[in-house]
Amino acid sequence: NRGDVMTVYTAKEVSQILHLGKNQTYNLMKSKGFPSYRINRQYYVTDESLDKWLKNITNKTIFTGDR
C-alpha cells in the first residue's frame, strides 16, 4: 500500500535517539542482532525495527538500581 510510510533512521539519527557517540553507534549498527542494513557505506534502521529491538533488550535487562 503506497499510503504506508516507513521512517528510516541514519546512524547519526540513531546516535541522537540513543544518546550514543559516533563510534558506539557504528559498532552497534554493525553488530549481530541489531536490525540495521547497509546501502553502500551507510547504515540504516527502520523506526519499527528499532522500536522492536529496544523493547526486546529492555525486557532482557534487569535494572536493580545498584551500580
Side-chain angles (χ1 to χ4, degrees):
N1 186 333
R2 288 196 170 268
D4 296 335
V5 177
M6 181 186 316
T7 301
V8 178
Y9 297 123
T10 63
K12 183 176 182 179
E13 291 168 322
V14 171
S15 73
Q16 293 169 347
I17 292 166
L18 300 180
H19 303 284
L20 297 173
K22 182 179 177 179
N23 290 338
Q24 289 175 308
T25 302
Y26 279 102
N27 287 338
L28 175 64
M29 293 186 86
K30 290 186 223 178
S31 68
K32 186 175 183 178
F34 189 80
S36 64
Y37 58 94
R38 187 173 148 180
I39 299 175
N40 295 324
R41 297 180 65 192
Q42 300 294 319
Y43 284 90
Y44 302 93
V45 64
T46 64
D47 58 342
E48 186 177 317
S49 295
L50 182 60
D51 287 345
K52 191 174 185 180
W53 180 82
L54 284 169
K55 287 175 185 170
N56 186 39
I57 65 160
T58 302
N59 290 336
K60 292 180 182 178
T61 305
I62 299 172
F63 295 99
T64 62
D66 298 330
R67 293 215 172 221

